[in-house]
Every structure is written in C-alpha cells, then in structure tokens.
Amino acid sequence: MNEIPNTAKVVVIGGGVVGTSTAYHLAKFGWKNIILLERDQLTSGTTWHAAGLVSQLGPSAGITKIRKYSLELYKKLEKEVDFSSGLKLNGALSIATTEGRWQELKRQATTAQLYDVDVKVLDTNDVEKTYPIINKKNILGGIFMPGDGQADPIGVTNLLAKAARKEGVKIFEQSPVEKILKKNGRVTGVKVKNKTIECEYVVLATGMWSRQIGEDMGFSIPLYPAEHFYVITEPIKELPKNIPVLRDFNDSLYLKEDAGKMLIGIFEGKSIPAFDKTNRVPEDFSYGEFPENFEHFEPYLEAALKRVPILEKAGIRKFFSGPESFTPDTNTLLGEVPDFKNLFVCCGLNSIGIGSGGGVGKVTAEWLMNGHINEDLFIYDIKRFQNFHSEIKFIKERITETLGDLYGMHWPFKQHKTSRNQKLVPYHDELKNAGACFGVSGGYERPMWYSLNGIKPEYKYSYNYQNWFPSAEYETINTRKNVGLFELTPFSKYELKGENCYEDLQRICTANIKKEIGKCTYTQMLNIDGGIETDLTVICLADNHFRIITAAANRERDKFHIKKHISENTKLIDVTDDFCTLGIFGPKSRDLMSDLSKNDFSNSNFKFGIGKNIQINDINVWVQRLSYVGELGYELYIDMSKAKEIYNLIVNAGKKYQLSHCGVHAMDIMRMESGFLHWGYDISPEENQYEAKLDFAISYKKNIDFVGKKALQDIRNKKLKKQFVMLTLQNSEPGKPLMLHDEPIYLNGKIIGRTTSANYSFNYKKNLAFGFVGIENLSQLNEGNIEIEIEKIKYKANYLTKKLNQIDYKSI
C-alpha cells in the first residue's frame, strides 16, 4: 500500500457512496492531489446495508436534477471503467389507499412533467397489470416511473472508487482521521495515523458519525441515527424477476425483488433512536447490526403479506436492523460549515444515498471549487439550520418523527410535532390565548393563524379547502380595512459596525445604500454569476452602523454570505434574539401609533422607508415605516425584556381600531397581493434580478464594483431565458383547486414554465400564482390560452400585468 502523502488539495473523509462520489468529481473537474481517507473499508459504515433504491423524482427541481444525474452517471461509468453497479431498472410503482395520498401522487405526476421524468398515472386495474402479484384491495390508483429501480450499494461505491482512482484520486482504507486541523478559522489539514496531512479543503462525508465529529470540534451537524429495519425472504419460486420496486406509503412499506427473494423494508411513523445509552456511534462500528426487534417490525410485515399474498409462502432468511442517520427535516446536508472556512459537509442522506450519491458528490465538488452554486438547493444547505438543531435532546427526539416523514403524508403547511417550543417570544402565552396556531419559523414558535369563534387552533391537513381559510380571510380583510398585528420576531437581524462597513455594504449589495441615519434601502446580494443570494433591507442606524433584516429561515445562510464578503475590521453582530419585532399594518396603523406614542407619525414627518427611535411608556423603541403586506404600516423593534409590556399596550390600544392578530398565512397572502417576492420560493441563486423584475434594486451609478456587477451587465445585454409573471385562475374559489408551487404553466397546450408561490386572495377573491415562464412566450400571454395544471387537471388562467394591490403607501 502506498504511503499517505504529507499534502493534499482536498481530503475527503469517508469511503461510502457520497465520499467516493465527491472525490471522483473533484478530480474529474480538474483538481489534482485529492485524497480519500476511510477509517475502515469502503462501504463499512452505512452504505453496505442500504436497500439501494434509485428514484428520479424529488421534491424540488434541484433534487430531481441530482437524482437524475446520479442514475445517468452510474450508467456512464459502468461503460467507462468496465464495472457493474448492479443497476436494475424495472421501474417503481407507488400506490395510494387513501384519497389524500392519491391526490399527492397525482401532484407528483403533474410536477414530474416539468423535469422530463416519465411518470404514468395508473388506475387500479393498471396497477394490477404492472404488479401482477399485488392484492388490489383498497387501492385507489398509483403512479409508475419506468426509469426507476435499484442498484447494488457496494457495487455503486466501488464503481465510483474505481473511476476516482482512474482520475488520480488516492484512496486509503484503514485510515481513521483523528482530528481536523484549523487555524484562524480555516482548514489547515488533518491528523491520521499520528501524521499530519496539510490541505486546503476537507469534505466531511462521514455519515452517522458526522454529528459527534462536529460536536467534538465545536461545530453543528444536525443528524442522528435511528434503527432501520428490513427483512429478506427465502427464495420465492413464483416471484417474477422483472417486477418494479413497490412503495405502499400508507403502510410505510417498500418491497423489491432481490435475486429471487423479496426485500421488505419500512419507514415507520415513530422510529427508535440508535445508541440510546451513549448518544454516540462507536468508532469501530463497521458492518454493524443490532439485535432483531420482531415485535416492532411485525405489524408492517403483516401489512406486506396482505398487500403481496405470495409472501405468506416464504420464510424469512435475514432480519436486518442497523443504524441510518436522519436530519431534522429529512433533507441532506451539503455546503460549507459556518465559521470553519473550507470545511464542507456531504452527509445526512436520509436513506436515499444510493439514488442521490452521484449527484450530491457533483454538487459538493462544484460548491467547493466555485465557492457557491447557481442552483436553488437551500433545501439541502446545512446553513438552513442553527446550532441548537444538533443538540442531542433536540435531534434524538426529532428523528423519531423524521424517519417516518419519508413515507408519511407530505401535507401542505405540515408542521413537525417533536422538539417544539425551542424559542418563545416573551408574550407567547398571550399569543396562545389570542388563539394562535403555531408553526416554526427560524427556530421560533410563530403564529401561522388565529382561531375564530373558539375553534381549536389546530391544522386539519388537506389538499383541498384549508381549515384555516376563515381565519386568513378575516385577518387579511381586517388588515386592509383596519389594522393587523403581525409577529415578526424570527426575521433575521444583523448589525454591521466599523469604519469600512458602508463601503462593504456598497460592495456586496446591488442597490445604492442610503447613508443617512434612519434611511432604509431594499436590495439584493448576489454571487459573482449574478444569482440572487440574499433579499434584504438595510437601515442606517448611526455613523458606521447599519442593521440588516432578512428572512427568518435564512439566518445562518445570509450571515455566512455577508461575513464571507466584509472586511476584517467590519464587525457583524447577530441581534436576532435581542429584539422582538412586531408589525402594525393597515390604514388605521398611524392612528394606533399616535395613541401609543407622542411622536409625530404624519406622512410629512415619518415618510415611507424611514426609521426612528420613539418612546412608548418611556420605553425606547426603534420603528421603521415599512410593510411587507403593501399597506401603511410600521415595524417595531423592541428590547426583548420590554417586549411583553409593549405588546400588551398595543393590544389594549388597538381595540379602538378593531385590531386583529394576524399570522404567517395572512402575511403571505397579502405580500402576494402586493407583488412582493419571497427568497427561497420565488427567487434563489437560479434567478437574476432582471428575470425577477428586481432590476430597480440595481445601481450602476454607484462608483464601486459590487459583487455580481459584471455578470449583471452581461445579462442586461443578452436575451433573458425566463421572466417572472403573476397569474390568476379563472373561476376561482378557495381550495378549488389548492395551488401551491411547482405546477406546470401551459400556453396553448405546451408547458412554458412553473409556479413558485400561490395563495387564495380573500380581498380580491382570486387564486393567485407567481411563477416564471420562458421569455419567448411572454409576449403571447395576453392573447394565448393559459392553463395551470394541478393533480393532472388543467385550469384556465389569466396573466396579470399589474399587482392586485395597487395602494401607493408612499403617499399616504
């Protein structure tokens, strides 16, 4: 065996499917001196016992691209390096036994058309023809994906390893990394076998060990292993060799033919955390298994026997129970770790590692080499989480639920039940007493809607009419008519201080940042290719002192982006948890503010886009005249210790003006009525400001070469590929149909784009959708036949040339 070198460009830690994939892609894309270190043998962690299912369709465009790429890569490499990955693509069949599941599957089949994934919608008889050994009782229908199937996990990993070696990657087994070395916040190397390898980058592809590696070194990797089960039957003579993979989501089952035997696996609703006594995966847990737990598995086995009766004739050859790690939201962890420069993660695959391994390795390599990605993959970015998400109490409780989320119903607006109440505002009980139904936003419990007439504030999940619609109707109409009180505390809030902070903001923001105290600037931050990284408001608080406000979910990600680009002597302080934020919005908001404070709130004295310190009951409160709902309104930033007092004063004074508590749903509806975009839904690094109609926030006049400027100038001089549009359905009714996002947009029978956000507007009595369409189709939208497809049904739509809410709140 060759001796481990003293230096490397990149050290990849972990020899499973994602580690070998990452190493291969780094070398394939042109980087030399790549080393992969595996503590034991390739596949010995989690990969070896994977079921090996491969599926093309994911919950987003980015994830679907990752899965499709993985499959094509395995096919390509099999020929290039003459090695089998065990691909067996007999298709995959998903069945529905409840109406909600049937709706969900039809929505998946509808979305698949956007990504060129072949999906066939089957009735009950077609299901039986596709899977002749099935018991079709209670089946409402199914979807069949002919290009899906299975692969051999060990075969795929060794295929990638062989391809990586061919590209020059050095792979060392029996080489456990003892420590990742860091200096001045940056990776400098790793220690292995009592020697140091100096390197520029490290990729942590260490699977279920990742959380404890992070914990030992002071960074957060939120995942934890659960016990994961499957059985393999004795050979079954009558078992067809070419049957597809079967997924019976409602019974938490998947079944695949395996060399004349049947593998039966489960994703049960409540899982069992592994290594419960120590909360740590043993360092030497290679090819490890747990004792049989037949009592836990038996109900699912019985369901499998009922669904596929020939299984009753077969005995069980192998009962498998082993660890599989899961994340708080059942999505993968990719990207650079905050505050540890050049340390990247590629882990937390949530039982879809074989089907995604090729693609996540490619994305990790591109991310590392370019410093960013031009795709909407926030759903996978590790920076969507905060440090508390990896704390053992939180993550162990959460993964009892998230393993089951894979096969559970993916209801719209679904909230997790476990690991709740992590962050509460001081007036949380008051919000609860006001009828709040809470969801989680930026780690905080935040009201989604408020119950009316004593109805229990609890979601009743559906793909049709939502039980919270009456609340949203009342809240949105009352805000437009009177005044609404919105809880905004989870909004991410950072302060920049230092002599160079203004110049730094000018360099990382596209707009010309206002330097006058109290002035607010709406802007975006870009990557060097012009993709939108951040959507934000900047406020000048004092000389060399600014505050930045961004979305709640983006707290770590946006902070990371800003810190990456500011000068060393500019200080960034995260003040999100220092201030409660309340929004008072609506035509009577000025009257309410005038009752609360002696300050002058007239338009001439307190214009739109201005912030000031005011006094309420001798308490200093920073107030900004801004509104995400398109009304006269004010955002109040209140010291956390004084927030409960101010909240009670607002509620009491607001009775005079018919103040209503309003939730996130109401805000989302009203921002769409007002034409405001939401980062992560309508805009992302995949879009630029010209495509999103946000070019009003670009200043070429400011004398600075801001990040992305050159790319924007190139974009401006070329024909755009797509354009943001607003659409409404004809014959709109609430929940008929329920539009969400990623629905195909048709023009004269041809798909031309997709929706990104949707809501029912109770003020304008319209189903409203945002989306993007191909630029070549834009001029035809006024005359053509526009349709939006939901659950395989096309609904006629109209093109909106202006936003529904046309209030000029700057002049009132």
Side-chain angles (χ1 to χ4, degrees):
M1 182 179 178
N2 295 329
E3 187 178 346
I4 296 176
N6 295 319
T7 62
K9 179 79 171 177
V10 185
V11 172
V12 179
I13 307 175
V17 65
V18 298
T20 52
S21 175
T22 301
Y24 162 75
H25 284 96
L26 285 165
K28 183 69 177 177
F29 294 159
W31 276 18
K32 306 300 180 188
N33 203 5
I34 310 299
I35 293 175
L36 185 149
L37 300 175
E38 162 55 41
R39 64 186 178 84
D40 195 338
Q41 294 180 318
L42 296 183
T43 78
S44 62
T46 304
T47 298
W48 72 274
H49 64 71
L53 305 186
V54 292
S55 178
Q56 301 166 85
L57 186 61
S60 74
I63 295 175
T64 299
K65 284 170 68 175
I66 282 172
R67 295 183 183 180
K68 288 184 70 176
Y69 173 84
S70 299
L71 189 55
E72 293 307 312
L73 175 70
Y74 304 156
K75 291 177 185 176
K76 178 173 77 81
L77 290 183
E78 281 187 329
K79 296 175 183 176
E80 287 184 9
V81 302
D82 191 25
F83 192 92
S84 174
S85 66
L87 274 178
K88 187 177 177 183
L89 303 179
N90 291 332
L93 171 66
S94 298
I95 60 170
T97 57
T98 63
E99 186 57 41
R101 182 71 72 180
W102 186 216
Q103 288 180 275
E104 181 176 293
L105 292 183
K106 286 186 286 187
R107 283 176 180 260
Q108 289 179 8
T110 304
T111 302
Q113 298 169 119
L114 293 168
Y115 312 132
D116 196 28
V117 176
D118 186 10
V119 179
K120 303 183 188 306
V121 179
L122 309 181
D123 63 20
T124 307
N125 291 329
D126 290 331
V127 166
E128 189 175 37
K129 289 175 186 174
T130 305
Y131 205 89
I133 57 175
I134 201 166
N135 172 9
K136 64 181 182 180
K137 184 180 179 182
N138 300 329
I139 295 176
L140 301 179
I143 60 172
F144 179 60
M145 288 176 270
D148 289 4
Q150 56 186 287
D152 170 30
I154 294 174
V156 169
T157 306
N158 284 310
L159 171 74
L160 290 163
K162 187 174 181 180
R165 288 188 180 102
K166 187 180 176 184
E167 296 293 338
V169 175
K170 296 182 175 69
I171 298 176
F172 298 91
E173 297 179 293
Q174 306 296 333
S175 301
V177 172
E178 297 151 21
K179 190 175 183 181
I180 302 168
L181 304 177
K182 175 182 180 182
K183 185 176 181 181
N184 298 326
R186 179 189 292 267
V187 163
T188 59
V190 299
K191 284 193 72 174
V192 56
K193 293 184 175 179
N194 293 318
K195 75 175 289 182
T196 296
I197 306 174
E198 294 180 357
C199 65
E200 296 178 42
Y201 298 86
V202 167
V203 178
L204 210 59
T206 44
M208 59 184 170
W209 285 270
S210 302
R211 193 202 70 84
Q212 63 203 48
I213 291 170
E215 183 179 51
D216 292 346
M217 293 207 60
F219 56 88
S220 172
I221 311 269
L223 55 74
Y224 193 83
E227 295 186 23
H228 193 41
F229 304 89
Y230 60 73
V231 299
I232 301 175
T233 70
E234 297 286 354
I236 304 171
K237 191 175 181 181
E238 301 92 334
L239 188 63
K241 297 291 186 292
N242 60 348
I243 55 171
V245 172
L246 175 65
R247 292 184 177 92
D248 182 350
F249 294 114
N250 290 110
D251 281 328
S252 308
L253 292 170
Y254 65 91
L255 297 91
K256 72 162 190 170
E257 187 273 334
D258 188 353
K261 304 176 285 292
M262 187 72 93
L263 183 149
I264 305 165
I266 63 171
F267 287 99
E268 68 274 32
K270 186 172 183 181
S271 69
I272 303 170
F275 310 108
D276 201 34
K277 292 181 180 178
T278 62
N279 297 330
R280 289 181 72 89
V281 185
E283 301 299 329
D284 60 353
F285 196 82
S286 298
Y287 303 108
E289 299 185 41
F290 299 136
E292 293 183 6
N293 187 342
F294 195 76
E295 183 181 354
H296 183 81
F297 192 84
E298 188 175 21
Y300 305 99
L301 180 60
E302 289 177 359
L305 299 183
K306 289 177 182 176
R307 185 58 63 202
V308 183
I310 68 166
L311 295 175
E312 295 175 359
K313 303 176 183 178
I316 294 176
R317 170 172 287 191
K318 169 71 176 174
F319 187 109
F320 176 80
S321 173
E324 182 90 37
S325 63
F326 294 84
T327 64
D329 61 0
T330 330
N331 284 315
T332 298
L333 304 174
L334 301 180
E336 192 171 357
V337 173
D339 300 320
F340 204 140
K341 191 165 179 56
N342 292 356
L343 175 64
F344 283 74
V345 292
C346 184
C347 55
L349 273 290
N350 301 281
S351 277
I352 53 170
I354 306 306
S356 302
V360 296
K362 172 180 179 283
V363 166
T364 300
E366 291 172 335
W367 206 329
L368 186 153
M369 296 169 83
N370 299 327
H372 67 277
I373 49 170
N374 292 322
E375 296 178 64
D376 181 8
L377 279 175
F378 181 61
I379 192 174
Y380 272 7
D381 192 337
I382 189 172
K383 293 175 284 295
R384 69 189 184 274
F385 292 119
Q386 298 174 37
N387 287 342
F388 76 86
H389 286 111
S390 65
E391 292 173 2
I392 198 67
K393 185 176 184 301
F394 177 95
I395 191 64
K396 275 185 72 175
E397 181 185 345
R398 174 55 62 82
I399 63 108
T400 65
E401 181 179 8
T402 54
L403 181 147
D405 282 346
L406 282 168
Y407 277 23
M409 283 296 302
H410 303 99
W411 293 116
F413 318 110
K414 185 179 178 182
Q415 299 291 326
H416 282 115
K417 294 180 179 179
T418 52
S419 301
R420 293 292 297 269
N421 296 322
Q422 300 296 310
K423 293 187 177 186
L424 306 178
V425 294
Y427 40 88
H428 175 81
D429 288 342
E430 283 76 6
L431 298 177
K432 187 176 180 180
N433 291 335
C437 177
F438 292 98
V440 177
S441 177
Y444 280 91
E445 294 293 324
R446 186 178 181 188
M448 304 299 291
W449 51 280
Y450 292 82
S451 68
L452 300 172
N453 305 318
I455 294 170
K456 190 174 183 180
E458 186 175 274
Y459 280 103
K460 293 181 181 177
Y461 295 120
S462 167
Y463 277 107
N464 303 308
Y465 184 91
Q466 301 294 297
N467 73 307
W468 47 265
F469 274 175
S471 295
E473 180 175 13
Y474 169 68
E475 293 167 23
T476 55
I477 290 174
N478 190 68
T479 300
R480 293 263 182 253
K481 182 180 177 182
N482 296 304
V483 62
L485 178 63
F486 292 78
E487 164 50 33
L488 308 177
T489 300
F491 278 10
S492 302
K493 303 175 277 287
Y494 326 106
E495 295 193 3
L496 289 186
K497 296 181 179 180
E499 288 185 8
N500 293 340
C501 69
Y502 175 70
E503 288 74 19
D504 285 343
L505 282 168
Q506 288 285 66
R507 188 165 39 81
I508 60 178
C509 296
T510 61
N512 191 16
I513 303 301
K514 299 180 180 74
K515 201 175 182 181
E516 186 179 339
I517 294 172
K519 289 286 184 72
C520 304
T521 310
Y522 172 66
T523 185
Q524 284 81 45
M525 294 180 184
L526 312 178
N527 59 44
I528 59 171
D529 297 319
I532 301 172
E533 292 285 343
T534 311
D535 186 61
L536 64 151
T537 301
V538 180
I539 305 97
C540 181
L541 298 180
D543 288 340
N544 300 319
H545 185 186
F546 292 82
R547 182 178 290 161
I548 292 171
I549 311 295
T550 72
N554 299 13
R555 181 172 176 180
E556 292 300 324
R557 187 186 185 282
D558 289 354
K559 181 164 57 176
F560 175 88
H561 181 81
I562 295 164
K563 289 172 79 170
K564 183 177 176 180
H565 291 284
I566 58 177
S567 308
E568 285 187 13
N569 60 357
T570 294
K571 189 175 182 182
L572 183 147
I573 309 159
D574 186 336
V575 296
T576 303
D577 299 331
D578 295 348
F579 299 98
C580 283
T581 308
L582 290 166
I584 298 177
F585 304 138
K588 296 181 181 178
S589 59
R590 179 179 285 125
D591 296 332
L592 174 54
M593 292 298 297
S594 298
D595 284 0
L596 290 166
S597 172
K598 295 177 181 177
N599 290 74
D600 181 0
F601 293 94
S602 64
N603 190 42
S604 58
N605 186 63
F606 207 139
K607 294 183 181 297
F608 176 80
I610 294 293
K612 292 185 178 185
N613 280 307
I614 69 164
Q615 298 291 312
I616 301 178
N617 255 26
D618 297 324
I619 298 169
N620 191 56
V621 176
W622 177 264
V623 176
Q624 294 166 187
R625 196 184 144 195
L626 294 171
S627 165
Y628 194 44
V629 302
E631 284 288 342
L632 174 67
Y634 306 85
E635 296 175 355
L636 283 65
Y637 293 79
I638 313 155
D639 185 278
M640 195 70 79
S641 64
K642 304 292 185 181
K644 187 173 179 177
E645 180 181 346
I646 297 295
Y647 164 84
N648 286 323
L649 287 168
I650 293 169
V651 172
N652 288 329
K655 293 174 184 176
K656 176 180 174 184
Y657 303 103
Q658 293 78 51
L659 177 140
S660 58
H661 284 79
C662 302
V664 171
H665 289 310
M667 172 170 280
D668 197 48
I669 291 167
M670 297 178 78
R671 68 98 183 169
M672 288 189 68
E673 292 171 346
S674 305
F676 298 149
L677 280 65
H678 192 322
W679 195 96
Y681 291 84
D682 309 308
I683 48 176
S684 74
E686 285 192 19
E687 287 76 40
N688 61 64
Q689 289 161 292
Y690 288 104
E691 292 171 335
K693 294 186 178 179
L694 293 172
D695 49 302
F696 63 86
I698 303 170
S699 173
Y700 293 115
K701 293 180 180 178
K702 62 179 182 177
N703 187 26
I704 193 162
D705 188 20
F706 60 83
V707 177
K709 181 178 181 179
K710 184 179 184 304
L712 283 184
Q713 289 171 326
D714 291 341
I715 291 165
R716 179 178 59 173
N717 295 325
K718 295 177 183 176
K719 185 178 179 181
L720 297 177
K721 294 180 180 178
K722 61 183 180 181
Q723 184 75 74
F724 172 76
V725 294
M726 298 182 290
L727 304 168
T728 60
L729 291 190
Q730 298 176 10
N731 308 317
S732 289
E733 288 184 64
K736 295 182 180 180
L738 183 70
M739 282 199 300
L740 297 168
H741 50 78
D742 291 304
E743 293 107 353
I745 301 170
Y746 287 79
L747 179 65
N748 301 327
K750 177 187 173 185
I751 294 177
I752 61 163
R754 67 180 179 96
T755 61
T756 55
S757 293
N759 264 308
Y760 185 82
S761 166
F762 298 96
N763 280 295
Y764 298 94
K765 295 182 171 49
K766 292 180 184 294
N767 266 308
L768 175 62
F770 288 177
F772 285 86
V773 300
I775 196 72
E776 67 277 7
N777 307 113
L778 196 63
S779 62
Q780 306 168 50
L781 289 180
N782 282 319
E783 298 84 30
N785 176 29
I786 307 170
E787 295 171 304
I788 297 175
E789 187 176 6
I790 300 130
E791 292 179 26
K792 300 303 292 181
I793 299 171
K794 295 186 179 75
Y795 297 86
K796 291 190 179 299
N798 294 327
Y799 172 48
L800 280 182
T801 55
K802 59 183 181 180
K803 57 192 178 185
L804 294 177
N805 178 40
Q806 291 294 313
I807 296 173
D808 182 8
Y809 42 87
K810 293 183 180 181
S811 64
I812 54 176

